[in-house]
Amino acid sequence: MTSRPIRIAPSILSADFGRLAEEVAAIDAAGADYIHVDIMDGHFVPNISFGPAVMASVRQVTQKPFDVHLMVAPVDPYIAAFAKAGADVITVHAEAGPHLHRTLQAIRAEGKNAGVAINPGTPVSAVEAVLDDIDLLLVMSVNPGFGGQAFIPGTLDKLRQARALVGNRPIEIEVDGGITADNARAVADAGATVFVAGSSVFGGNETQTYPHRIAAIRSAATTRTA
């Protein structure tokens, strides 16, 4: 198990878009460490979410880091816009283009932390050549494009492989998809340090439940069982 602190990153893809700013402010107050922003283009993944203008509008209600996950191809043309809109971390998919290293350079040139995401069918070895150019490795535990999917059990092996490959580098290992208080302990033991949670935080969209839901995931991830 890593000694890095556990961070919870609620995904606003599961928020009530009719009151998105209020939802972002609520998860900030509820104890979120990061705000996870899923950007979908209807091309690389089946759905469309929203663009940089919407993200910029909700950026104003919180000082928490914006963890922006670009499920977009081609991705390079949009990096500057999301950087300007308030991203702190910009994560791109290893599968989204032929020049991953160049894309990471573009993110760093904007002064942002750089992340790489890998889909369930992509081996961890796909990121080995760029490990010294990233701050975050996102291991998808569902196929991207839809919220509310079940965690893919084989992700635990991939997380262990990712932790071994990262070694002592100061890289966060993030997991995204189907994360709940029930599987958080196993996911943490496998090496994840950042937990993206959508429906397990936002389910029902009742803001008074968010502190308990975030705390439950954090507690499960950090409490060892007998």
Side-chain angles (χ1 to χ4, degrees), residues 45-129:
V45 292
N47 276 324
I48 296 172
S49 57
F50 52 84
V54 171
M55 194 186 95
S57 70
V58 297
R59 170 76 274 190
Q60 302 172 46
V61 304
T62 178
Q63 297 299 310
K64 296 287 176 69
F66 266 33
D67 171 29
V68 180
H69 177 194
L70 297 182
M71 290 169 273
V72 174
V75 69
D76 289 18
Y78 301 99
I79 289 171
F82 281 100
K84 184 177 180 181
D88 295 284
V89 182
I90 297 178
T91 297
V92 298
H93 271 261
E95 309 89 357
H99 304 295
L100 180 57
H101 184 266
R102 179 185 295 166
T103 300
L104 296 171
Q105 285 181 312
I107 296 170
R108 287 282 177 81
E110 294 290 340
K112 307 301 179 180
N113 283 356
V116 172
I118 51 173
N119 285 332
T122 300
V124 173
S125 59
V127 302
E128 186 170 5

Side-chain angles (χ1 to χ4, degrees), residues 154-224:
T155 304
L156 295 175
D157 285 336
K158 288 185 74 175
L159 287 168
R160 286 188 279 267
Q161 294 167 19
R163 172 51 57 199
L165 193 63
V166 165
N168 292 324
R169 295 176 179 87
I171 296 172
E172 297 273 16
I173 296 180
E174 185 171 56
V175 62
D176 182 356
I179 296 299
T180 68
D182 291 334
N183 58 28
R185 174 72 265 158
V187 169
D189 282 342
T193 56
V194 182
F195 292 63
V196 177
S199 56
S200 61
V201 170
F202 285 103
N205 298 113
E206 297 175 347
T207 57
Q208 70 271 19
T209 68
Y210 298 168
H212 169 74
R213 291 171 182 230
I214 291 172
I217 296 170
R218 193 188 309 278
S219 177
T222 55
T223 302
R224 284 202 171 278

Side-chain angles (χ1 to χ4, degrees), residues 32-46:
D33 298 296
Y34 299 155
I35 310 298
H36 189 79
V37 183
D38 282 313
I39 304 299
M40 301 178 177
D41 66 353
H43 171 69
F44 181 69
V45 292

